[in-house]
Amino acid sequence: MNSGTLIFVRKGDFCIIKSEDVYYMNVLFPNFYRNSHFDVSKDFLLDIREFIERRDFDKLSLIAEDIRKNYENYKDKEVEEVEIVKKELI
């Protein structure tokens, strides 16, 4: 299991976890399973460094929305759960 530092949270949408030199986006999927009221979060290894460095969190929100709408397109970037071991919010 990978572990990292929680650096940004947009409640009900996504969070960003940094592990060494890579960034993971944890995306919340409301009602992921059909006929269920359970929310599921999934972790993705994405090249989002430039958006984080520019603090372009609105663009990251659009990426999270695209992941929810087009999950099949991102399955190859999905990773096992990333454990958050500390918090250093930006």
Side-chain angles (χ1 to χ4, degrees):
M1 175 184 291
N2 293 320
S3 62
T5 303
L6 180 66
I7 63 167
F8 182 81
V9 175
R10 184 162 282 176
K11 289 189 176 192
D13 195 2
F14 69 93
C15 66
I16 303 297
I17 304 164
K18 183 177 181 183
S19 179
E20 296 182 18
D21 290 335
V22 297
Y23 293 95
Y24 297 93
M25 177 179 266
N26 176 280
V27 178
L28 182 67
F29 288 81
N31 305 318
F32 183 73
Y33 297 106
R34 185 182 302 245
N35 299 322
S36 170
H37 298 289
F38 292 104
D39 298 340
V40 173
S41 64
K42 296 182 174 284
D43 294 331
F44 299 87
L45 178 60
L46 302 171
D47 184 15
I48 54 176
R49 177 183 304 281
E50 68 180 88
F51 303 119
I52 294 166
E53 289 173 354
R54 292 188 321 213
R55 304 293 197 262
D56 191 352
F57 300 112
D58 289 334
K59 176 64 175 175
L60 292 171
S61 190
L62 291 174
I63 292 170
E65 182 179 333
D66 191 51
I67 290 171
R68 282 189 287 272
K69 288 181 179 176
N70 301 296
Y71 174 65
E72 292 296 320
N73 295 340
Y74 291 90
K75 280 180 108 172
D76 63 325
K77 303 212 183 301
E78 186 176 356
V79 297
E80 68 180 44
E81 182 180 354
V82 180
E83 178 184 13
I84 297 171
V85 293
K86 64 181 179 176
K87 189 186 296 186
E88 293 178 12
L89 299 177
I90 55 176

